[in-house]
């Protein structure tokens, strides 16, 4: 997370403390270029937070993409021995409802709230064959959101490592996929099917009106002014 995204942290953490994995041991790892800006919160019993300093970047595309290698490293250095499950979550978000053990599984994806119910031809997959994230028009199951990735630590390790390698290959070829790491994630899920697909209850967007088939919104992207929070267009 870059400095101007720290404004989202307080609501994210406070709402996670009320809704996310209550009754389990939870260790938050926060990647930030400004650890000193992370608010001090008192966490519930069995819950802890570790800040990890990461480099700043002048491009938001780079900041969001680099999460794959940061998670890869974190898993290799610590989590393989420390944790059973991991979730990677966007920080510009808020929990509004219960998120518990029903979300656990080997490999977890979530339907992107903007594209569920849309035909495959409308999915914003990478369509240029020069990118490793390329998906041909007749392929693809769903369009998954990049804001939530989860599962068993070893399965997520395989995912983030593969996506990091794909991002490196694209970088060497001077191509950036349409939706950065989200495009590579969608490519990964084409060949490595998630064992559980969460509904958009688990990844909504505050600006979207709740649709009648949505019983409860549990986690949602808050409204943000892109020009204000991102370092570039
Ligand atoms: C609903 C959903 O799945 N949204 C995806 C989407 O839009 P979003 O508009 O949600 O992207 P975003 O701006 O939230 O960026 C993703 C994350 O990267 C970090 N960040 C990003 C920019 C920046 O200047 N500083 C910073 O710290 C931050 O942790 C943020 O939560 O596209 C992104 C990739 O393009 C990610 O795949 C998001 O998960
Ligand atoms: Mn986001």
């Amino acid at each position: 997370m870059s400095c101007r995204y720290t404004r989202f942290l307080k609501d994210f953490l406070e709402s996670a403390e009320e809704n996310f994995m209550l009754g389990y041991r939870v260790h938050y790892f926060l990647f930030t270029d400004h650890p000193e800006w992370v608010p001090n919160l008192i966490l519930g019993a069995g819950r802890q937070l570790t800040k990890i300093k990461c480099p700043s970047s002048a491009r938001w595309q780079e900041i969001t993409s680099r999460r794959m290698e940061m998670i890869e490293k974190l898993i290799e250095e610590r989590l393989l021995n420390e944790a059973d499950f991991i979730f990677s979550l966007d920080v510009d978000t808020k929990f509004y409802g219960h998120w518990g053990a029903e979300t656990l599984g080997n490999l977890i994806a979530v339907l992107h709230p903007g594209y569920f119910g849309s035909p495959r031809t409308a999915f914003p997959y990478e369509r240029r064959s020069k990118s490793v994230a390329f998906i041909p028009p007749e392929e693809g199951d769903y369009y998954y959101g990049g804001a939530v990735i989860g599962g068993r630590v070893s399965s997520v390790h395989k995912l983030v490592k593969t996506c990091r390698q794909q991002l490196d290959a694209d970088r060497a070829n001077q191509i950036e996929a349409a939706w950065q790491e989200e495009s590579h994630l969608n490519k990964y899920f084409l060949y490595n099917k998630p064992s559980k697909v969460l509904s958009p209850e688990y990844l909504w967007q505050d600006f979207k009106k709740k649709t009648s088939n949505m019983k409860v919104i549990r986690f949602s992207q808050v409204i943000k002014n892109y020009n204000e929070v991102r370092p570039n267009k």
Side-chain angles (χ1 to χ4, degrees):
M1 153 189 61
S2 56
C3 56
R4 279 180 269 173
Y5 273 63
T6 44
R7 70 187 64 189
F8 302 118
L9 251 182
K10 191 167 178 286
D11 279 358
F12 169 80
L13 285 172
E14 282 179 355
S15 64
E17 283 293 286
E18 281 169 17
N19 296 290
F20 182 72
M21 292 292 172
L22 299 184
Y24 297 89
R25 271 178 296 146
V26 172
H27 195 152
Y28 304 97
F29 290 92
L30 278 177
F31 297 100
T32 169
D33 60 357
H34 280 275
E36 70 282 7
W37 289 12
V38 173
N40 266 326
L41 292 181
I42 299 183
L43 303 176
R47 303 169 80 94
Q48 55 177 314
L49 185 151
T50 301
K51 301 171 224 176
I52 300 180
K53 182 144 167 61
C54 64
S56 310
S57 172
R59 291 186 70 239
W60 65 264
Q61 295 89 340
E62 187 75 10
I63 301 169
T64 180
S65 295
R66 292 282 179 190
R67 77 174 86 191
M68 292 299 183
E69 63 183 65
M70 295 191 291
I71 300 167
E72 182 187 1
K73 215 165 140 232
L74 174 68
I75 291 178
E76 286 171 5
E77 287 174 1
R78 300 192 54 157
L79 299 190
L80 280 171
N81 305 318
E82 278 181 33
D84 298 315
F85 297 97
I86 177 174
F87 275 101
S88 156
L89 302 170
D90 264 21
V91 72
D92 58 324
T93 48
K94 216 173 146 173
F95 290 88
Y96 294 110
H98 169 92
W99 179 313
E102 77 283 359
T103 61
L104 298 179
N106 190 44
L107 193 58
I108 306 301
V110 57
L111 297 181
H112 193 295
Y115 300 97
F116 74 103
S118 299
R120 179 195 273 159
T121 48
F123 295 164
Y125 291 147
E126 175 54 61
R127 300 300 192 186
R128 295 165 297 174
S129 58
K130 192 185 169 197
S131 167
V132 188
F134 169 68
I135 296 182
E138 66 282 4
E139 289 185 54
D141 308 304
Y142 299 107
Y143 191 76
Y144 302 105
V148 176
I149 309 169
R152 284 210 173 268
V153 170
S154 55
S155 309
V156 174
H157 180 249
K158 193 169 157 249
L159 178 156
V160 291
K161 185 172 180 175
T162 307
C163 289
R164 191 265 302 155
Q165 289 167 338
Q166 294 180 183
L167 284 156
D168 286 348
D170 270 12
R171 218 172 270 127
N173 268 325
Q174 289 169 343
I175 186 160
E176 187 170 75
W179 289 101
Q180 298 81 37
E181 83 292 352
E182 189 175 83
S183 304
H184 291 278
L185 178 75
N186 274 277
K187 178 66 176 273
Y188 186 83
F189 284 143
L190 178 59
Y191 299 117
N192 307 271
K193 306 293 184 201
S195 63
K196 191 181 278 185
V197 177
L198 301 178
S199 89
E201 284 182 15
Y202 292 87
L203 181 58
W204 199 248
Q205 292 166 308
D206 279 359
F207 69 78
K208 270 174 87 82
K209 207 171 163 286
K210 190 168 143 201
T211 53
S212 57
N213 52 359
M214 217 39 63
K215 296 273 181 279
V216 46
I217 306 298
R218 302 172 190 281
F219 183 62
S220 183
Q221 301 264 326
V222 301
I223 293 167
K224 62 181 183 285
N225 179 343
Y226 283 88
N227 289 329
E228 205 177 308
V229 296
R230 284 180 169 178
N232 64 309
K233 293 240 184 275

